[in-house]
Structure formats: C-alpha cells, structure tokens
Amino acid sequence: IMAVNRQVTRHSYRVFTGLYRLLSRSSSVSMVQKVLVRPPQDVPGAERQAEFSRAGIGGFFQERPMLKNPFLEDTLLQGYLKRHLPNEAVYSDLRVFGERLVREVDGWGRECEVTPPRLVTYDPWGCRVDRIVTSPAWQRMKDLSAQEGLVAIGYERRYGEWSRVYQMCKLYLYSPSSGLYTCPLAMTDGAAKVIQSLGVSWPVADAFSRLTSRDPEHFWTSGQWMTERRGGSDVGNGTETVALPQSDGTYRLSGFKWFTSATDADMTLTLARVTDIDGQTTSGSRGLSMFYAAVRDEQGMVQGIEVQRLKDKLGTRQMPTAELLLDGLPAHRLSEEGRGVACIANMLTVTRIHNSVSAVAGMRRVLQLARDYATRRSAFGKLLRDHPLHMQTLARMEVETRGAFLLVMEVCRLIGREETGHASQQETHLLRLLTPVAKLYTGKQAVAVISEGLESFGGQGYIEDTGLPAMLRDAQVLSIWEGTTNVLSLDVLRCVSRSSGLVLQAYFTHTQSLLAAASLPSLSVAVRSVDRALSGLREFLQAAALKPPGFIELAARDLAYSLARIYMGALLIDHASWEGASHSDAYAALRWCEQDLCPVVSKAAIGCYNMKTPPLDAALVYEESTRD
Ligand code: MFK
C-alpha cells in the first residue's frame, strides 16, 4: 500500500478521491477497500490541489467549434458561382439562407437527431392507427423546405439551365443542418422529375403541383418504395408486390416493402407486378410496373397499409424508415406495363445526384468545423493551426472535398442543361455516365473525410452530444442506399454497353477539352498526369474489349474510381485555369493529380482481373471455414 501511495500522480489522485467519495457513501464498503482508498487529506500534495476540491473539474474549458455562415465560409462555392452563375439574387439568397442555417436551422437538425420518430400502432381505445410521430423540428424542416424552394427552384427554372446548380448549391448548404430532411426532399424531387418526364396529367397533376410548391400548406413529400425482403439491389428479381387491376382502371397493391425511407411522406412511387385474370404475374424486371399512391386518406390515416415497425438504424435516426405491409393499397399505374424500372430510373438519377450533394456537403461541413476548431484548440504549446502535420491532414481533406464538389456540380450542370433542352447528345451521355460515378465515389469519400474530420477534434469527435458522431453515422448510408458501390459500378458498365460505348466517347472528348483549355504553366505537371491517366484508361478499355466478360466485371469498381479521379483532376485543373481562380485552386489541382489517377490500369498490371483471381479471392475469404 505504501508503494502504491508513493506513485500517486495527479490523475490517480483524482480517481482515488472520486472512488473514496463513492465508496464512503456505501454502507457495504469493506475495511480492506477503505484502507486501499485513502481519504484525500492523506494523499501527499493534497493541499496544492485545493482549487480542484471545490469545483471538482478544474477551470479550463475548451472552446467549441463554431458554425459560421456556410456560404460565406466556402470560397470554392462562391468562386464556382461567380464563374458560372454570377447573379446577385442567387448570391444574396444563399448568403441569407446561410445565416438562417446558423441562427435557427442547425439547432432544429440537432433536435431531429435527439427526438427520433416513433410509431404509434394503436390509439388509446385499441383502434389500429399506425401513426408515425415525428419531432416538431422535423415538421419545421418541411415548412422551411417549401418556403426556401428547395425542390421548387429546380422546376421554376428562373435561372434556365443553371437552376439545378442553384437548387443543389442551396441543398448543399442545407444538408448538414437538415436533420436528414434532405432524404425526403431527394425523393420528392425524384418523384416530380418522374411525373414531369411522363407528362403531368391526371391523376398526378395535383401531386406535381404539391411536390414543387413553395407553400408549406400545399407542399407534399414523396416516398420511393423499391426495396423488398428479396430485392435490395436486385429489384428486378426480388420484387414480390402484386398489383390487382380494378374495374375503374386503378389497382390494389399487396406486398411487403422492407425499407421505406421518410415514411411520413404524403405520396409514393413504387413498383409492383400486375396480375393477369388468372392471377399470374411476369417474373423479372420485365414484369414490373411503376405506381403512384397517396399514402393517407383525407382524415390523415394510412390507407391499405400496415406499418409493421420502424427500423433501428446505425444513422439517419432523425428520419422514420419503416417496414410496410401493403394490404390493398389503392394505386394508379403510371408506367407502361413492364416498364417500371426504366420509368423509376429517372427518380434514381435525381436521388443519386442528391446523395452526391449530401456527401460533399458533409465533407465541407466537417472541414469548416475542423478548421475553426484548429484556431481555438492548443496542444503542445501552440494552436492546432500552427502544427504543420495537422494542417497537412486538413489540406488533404480539402483537396478531396474540392474534387468532389466540382464533380457533383458538373453533374448538376449537365442535368440542368438536359432539362432545359440545351444538352448536346454528348452531354446527355456524360450525364448518364457521371451520375453513378459521382454517387459511388463521393459516398466513399464522405465516409473517409468525415471520419478523418472527427479525429481532428481528438476525443471530442467521439462524443455524442457534440453532434460530430452523427455526421459519421449519417455518412455511412451514402454508399449503401440508392445503389451500393458495386451495384453502381455495374451500372457504369450497363450504360457503357447500352450506349455501345458512346458514354465513354463523350467522357474522353470532354475530359480532353477541359485539359486543352488549361494554359497555366504552373499546372502543367497536373495536366500531364491527367493526360497520361486518360491514355492509360483508353488502352485498358481497348484491351478489355478483347477479354472475356468476367474481366471487365471484376474491374468495374476500379474502372469507376478511375473515371472519377481522372475527371475530378480535369475539373480541378479547369477551375484553376479560370481567370478568377486563386493560388489555392491551382495547389488543390496539383495535389489531386499526385495520386494514382487510374487505379484500373495499375491493378490490371498486377493481374487483379485475371480469371485466376476470383477463386483465389474466394479461397482467401473462406480459408478458415473451408479448413473446417
Ligand atoms: C440525401 C440523399 C438521400 C437519397 C434518398 C434516399 C432514399 C432511400 C430510398 C432507397 O434507397 S430506394 C432503393 C434504391 N434502390 C436502388 O437504387 C436499387 C439498386 N439497384 C439498381 O440500381 C439496379 O441496377 C437496377 C434495379 C436498376 C437493375 O434493374 P434491372 O431491371 O436488372 O435493370 P435493367 O434490365 O438493366 O434495366 C431496365 C431498364 O432500366 C433499362 O431501360 P431500357 O429497357 O429502356 O433499356 C435500363 O436502361 C434502365 N435503367 C436501369 N438503370 C438505369 C436505367 N436508366 C437510367 N439510369 C439508370 N441508372
């Protein structure tokens, strides 16, 4: 015991003091424990610690990171708009919205997180009600979304082909403060897009006007019910829901939807198999049609739906995700019979773009907080901002975020051009290719960058009520829903083959034109890197065309990553070549281009896609169990 006491440090003194207090309150403390845990006055140096005996926790409190106006804090966003959409009204709207986010909305977002939705299955009198109760903050988010035009801007098109960019910039500012309200907005936007593409008419004309409304009283959100127990990614084979034709031309849907996000929506688009007069359906994707259904009746009660339960999720806890039994849900078929997947693909395009916007928004937000914190936190005698290694880490995150931002804005620019009839055939191809590429790549970047961001707050980044851990949890879903990384990599192959390679031709032509316009000598190293990567990619694709189909499938993910990195490099170079660009823009481009821009070539060179590889991979994964 004496030996132990001699080694008492300041820290263990505090622990001993705490333990002593705790134990001395307990009547069952044994004599041995009392001897081991000595009272504070017996500890050497106790008097010098007196200032701690009253407060107990000392006098130093670390300043928290402050959220400042995310628009004014974002020089890349401002530069991008100055270059492409130099409009005072847009600038002013985003600046004012940025203030509103700091002043009130960010707090609501936190409220959504700590007051998650709950399901009320029965009323007090035993009647089944299936009511999803959300927080008041979640309700306010809905009103705000209408007022701020977060969906409407994309359909009003006041800024022509740049309206989508404007809308997505606003969503990018909103997303990290939104308490995940961006999820229902993504699906709402996607539903509006589908309805518009089909031609707005009965029975969805009213729905369209509500989805795109700025009036909170009129505004509706939409669900996108695609996932069933058998079919997560494999929608074509896994959808069991059937649609029974009614004499009035409508349908009744019966089935089980396994993940329905933001289930408090007013309407939904969903897939089902139409039954013939014998009750038979067509299997596979060709048997699927797309339906519109209002979720609630005029009394606000779900109709033809039982909410089985709400999901208990890693993140996105602010938002209700439910399992739904469809038990004769009244619905209207919107697509031709058997064209359900092709029809809902418009929705997938929009929700995947929203997903990419949320990914880059999360990266930007964690960086804004981390760089603010670095001016408030001292360690080893100086502020974090004065530690070069810390700045190197944040700078690497910044480079990732810039690359992601420019890629996502490029996709938004392209969809804006397509929707306003300005897109060339080449741009339409590019949009098809870059949508899955941006979604899959930024989803992964977001997890990595936000994880790194949490580390920059030390242990505080791991503490729940700082709000930081929720950012990481919410980022994790970005690479899962709306198509996992591998499913989207295969979607890249799908669009290459369906377009007979035209999407790739568009990609090469446009990337080269971006490089050709870069004239700054300081960027020549980066230009050469992208150019080399592009040539390598072209040669790889030519060689891959002669291989068995399994080869390119095995290369799909690395191919998608290569397409993303090369294109981001070209965009960073292009942005840095603009006359209003800063030194940081050029530096970011140079740094980006230092990495392996074309991993599909380096991995092919070491035989990763040889036909010998799959059995070796499988043996590696299952080695232990095959030994058994
Ligand atoms: C903050 C952001 C929040 C975002 C909101 C999140 C809410 C969460 C809601 C969800 O998670 S909903 C579930 C999302 N589920 C998926 O994303 C499913 C992932 N699986 C796929 O994407 C599969 O690739 C797919 C279901 C599309 C495959 O189906 P098929 O039937 O095997 O596809 P097939 O036969 O290749 O194509 C059928 C038609 O669709 C073809 O048209 P055509 O017959 O005219 O040629 C394809 O060209 C077309 N198509 C398929 N994918 C497309 C597409 N068209 C355009 N873009 C695409 N991506």
Side-chain angles (χ1 to χ4, degrees):
I1 290 166
M2 292 301 287
V4 169
N5 277 343
R6 271 201 301 278
Q7 288 177 23
V8 166
T9 60
R10 275 181 173 196
H11 172 71
S12 52
Y13 161 69
R14 260 178 262 148
V15 173
F16 274 6
T17 309
L19 267 176
Y20 175 75
R21 286 186 185 142
L22 192 73
L23 293 173
S24 57
R25 267 186 239 131
S26 156
S27 56
S28 63
V29 178
S30 74
M31 278 313 290
V32 178
Q33 282 169 317
K34 278 193 174 161
V35 173
L36 274 173
V37 184
R38 296 173 59 163
Q41 61 268 31
D42 292 351
V43 177
E47 257 171 46
R48 285 201 306 278
Q49 302 295 328
E51 63 171 303
F52 287 98
S53 62
R54 185 177 294 256
I57 54 171
F60 172 76
F61 295 95
Q62 174 59 47
E63 273 182 57
R64 68 185 62 196
M66 297 298 288
L67 175 65
K68 299 177 191 145
N69 185 327
F71 176 67
L72 296 179
E73 286 286 292
D74 196 330
T75 50
L76 181 63
L77 169 62
Q78 289 177 50
Y80 183 87
L81 288 174
K82 199 164 161 197
R83 181 179 178 196
H84 297 289
L85 180 56
N87 183 291
E88 186 46 45
V90 169
Y91 189 95
S92 157
D93 181 47
L94 296 179
R95 185 177 45 75
V96 172
F97 187 52
E99 279 311 321
R100 188 175 182 193
L101 292 175
V102 175
R103 221 181 39 249
E104 53 182 353
V105 182
D106 198 58
W108 302 349
R110 190 70 201 142
E111 216 178 305
C112 292
E113 172 75 22
V114 297
T115 323
R118 62 193 171 86
L119 173 63
V120 177
T121 309
Y122 294 98
D123 77 1
W125 305 98
C127 295
R128 182 107 193 202
V129 287
D130 287 6
R131 218 154 34 83
I132 294 171
V133 181
T134 55
S135 67
W138 182 260
Q139 308 289 331
R140 287 198 290 275
M141 292 295 189
K142 185 175 183 184
D143 293 352
L144 167 133
S145 302
Q147 287 158 359
E148 296 286 349
L150 295 176
V151 177
I153 292 170
Y155 295 85
E156 293 162 350
R157 298 193 184 145
R158 284 195 198 139
Y159 300 94
E161 64 183 278
W162 291 99
S163 301
R164 277 291 187 189
V165 164
Y166 169 33
Q167 176 202 9
M168 294 298 173
C169 286
K170 203 162 179 181
L171 281 159
Y172 159 77
L173 296 175
Y174 176 54
S175 175
S177 298
S178 72
L180 244 285
Y181 208 80
T182 41
C183 171
L185 295 182
M187 297 187 293
T188 301
D189 196 352
K193 169 85 176 170
V194 168
I195 295 172
Q196 190 167 63
S197 311
L198 288 168
V200 182
S201 58
W202 188 89
V204 283
D206 178 55
F208 181 80
S209 88
R210 288 174 175 278
L211 299 174
T212 56
S213 173
R214 280 182 182 258
D215 175 1
E217 295 296 315
H218 195 64
F219 182 57
W220 268 10
T221 59
S222 176
Q224 172 193 4
W225 302 348
M226 288 181 70
T227 308
E228 302 196 7
R229 278 184 296 227
R230 274 177 197 274
S233 299
D234 188 3
V235 175
N237 292 309
T239 302
E240 295 178 301
T241 301
V242 293
L244 207 63
Q246 306 294 298
S247 54
D248 62 357
T250 66
Y251 293 79
R252 295 268 170 172
L253 307 188
S254 300
F256 199 102
K257 298 291 174 182
W258 182 239
F259 281 105
T260 60
S261 299
T263 322
D264 61 327
D266 304 281
M267 60 158 276
T268 192
L269 296 184
T270 190
L271 298 175
R273 297 182 195 284
V274 176
T275 57
D276 62 20
I277 40 174
D278 302 320
Q280 301 297 308
T281 57
T282 306
S283 61
S285 188
R286 286 183 309 111
L288 290 176
S289 305
M290 192 193 72
F291 294 83
Y292 156 78
V295 176
R296 272 162 262 277
D297 61 20
E298 271 151 24
Q299 282 72 48
M301 303 292 285
V302 283
Q303 43 179 357
I305 297 172
E306 271 187 13
V307 184
Q308 296 291 302
R309 59 174 170 162
L310 295 187
K311 298 285 196 183
D312 185 6
K313 298 166 289 177
L314 169 69
T316 70
R317 293 181 188 167
Q318 313 88 325
M319 177 193 76
T321 303
E323 290 171 20
L324 299 182
L325 173 73
L326 309 188
D327 186 9
L329 169 68
H332 298 268
R333 180 167 54 79
L334 295 188
S335 75
E336 284 170 37
E337 271 192 41
R339 297 292 297 158
V341 172
C343 200
I344 212 162
N346 265 321
M347 188 169 200
L348 291 176
T349 299
V350 170
T351 49
R352 286 169 184 174
I353 294 172
H354 276 257
N355 199 89
S356 312
V357 170
S358 285
V360 67
M363 295 185 234
R364 175 54 70 204
R365 177 61 61 87
V366 85
L367 254 167
Q368 284 174 343
L369 294 174
R371 75 176 187 179
D372 179 75
Y373 192 62
T375 65
R376 299 174 191 273
R377 172 74 179 167
S378 284
F380 304 107
K382 53 188 178 182
L383 287 169
L384 293 185
R385 66 167 295 162
D386 297 324
H387 288 275
L389 191 55
H390 190 69
M391 281 301 105
Q392 179 197 68
T393 307
L394 296 195
R396 286 178 180 170
M397 291 161 61
E398 178 68 36
V399 171
E400 292 290 328
T401 307
R402 283 174 179 244
F405 177 85
L406 291 176
L407 178 62
V408 173
M409 282 303 137
E410 175 72 350
V411 178
C412 299
R413 180 184 77 81
L414 290 168
I415 194 172
R417 282 181 66 74
E418 192 204 43
E419 288 177 335
T420 51
H422 288 93
S424 63
Q425 194 58 40
Q426 180 186 304
E427 286 171 321
T428 303
H429 286 313
L430 208 47
L431 173 64
R432 176 68 184 92
L433 178 70
L434 291 182
T435 302
V437 166
K439 193 290 190 180
L440 73 89
Y441 199 78
T442 58
K444 287 293 197 201
Q445 280 181 304
V447 176
V449 169
I450 295 171
S451 171
E452 189 69 79
L454 259 55
E455 203 174 319
S456 71
F457 299 94
Q460 288 302 104
Y462 203 67
I463 294 303
E464 192 55 45
D465 55 4
T466 60
L468 295 163
M471 293 184 74
L472 183 59
R473 284 202 301 270
D474 290 347
Q476 187 63 65
V477 81
L478 297 169
S479 61
I480 297 177
W481 66 11
E482 291 305 326
T484 60
T485 309
N486 283 353
V487 164
L488 289 174
S489 301
L490 296 174
D491 189 49
V492 169
L493 297 188
R494 176 194 282 107
C495 73
V496 170
S497 80
R498 299 240 169 174
S499 70
S500 309
L502 289 176
V503 294
L504 284 175
Q505 207 171 308
Y507 174 90
F508 281 106
T509 308
H510 193 66
T511 312
Q512 258 152 356
S513 74
L514 289 171
L515 293 183
S519 52
L520 276 185
S522 61
L523 289 171
S524 58
V525 180
V527 173
R528 275 201 300 278
S529 299
V530 177
D531 205 28
R532 217 172 19 247
L534 208 54
S535 306
L537 181 62
R538 197 191 291 274
E539 284 163 25
F540 168 84
L541 289 165
Q542 281 161 355
L546 307 173
K547 307 263 186 193
F551 177 89
I552 195 71
E553 193 173 321
L554 213 46
R557 185 190 273 239
D558 297 328
L559 171 62
Y561 282 19
S562 305
L563 291 167
R565 285 189 198 163
I566 293 171
Y567 205 82
M568 286 178 177
L571 288 171
L572 283 160
I573 290 168
D574 172 63
H575 190 72
S577 309
W578 165 57
E579 59 189 12
S582 67
H583 289 301
S584 296
D585 291 324
Y587 184 65
L590 288 168
R591 285 277 139 157
W592 179 268
C593 295
E594 283 166 359
Q595 66 182 308
D596 181 359
L597 292 175
C598 197
V600 77
V601 166
S602 19
K603 293 213 187 312
I606 52 171
C608 282
Y609 319 126
N610 292 343
M611 283 306 103
K612 280 190 235 136
T613 310
L616 292 174
D617 286 345
L620 180 62
V621 172
Y622 287 107
E623 190 174 38
E624 284 305 312
S625 46
T626 43
R627 255 191 221 147
D628 294 343

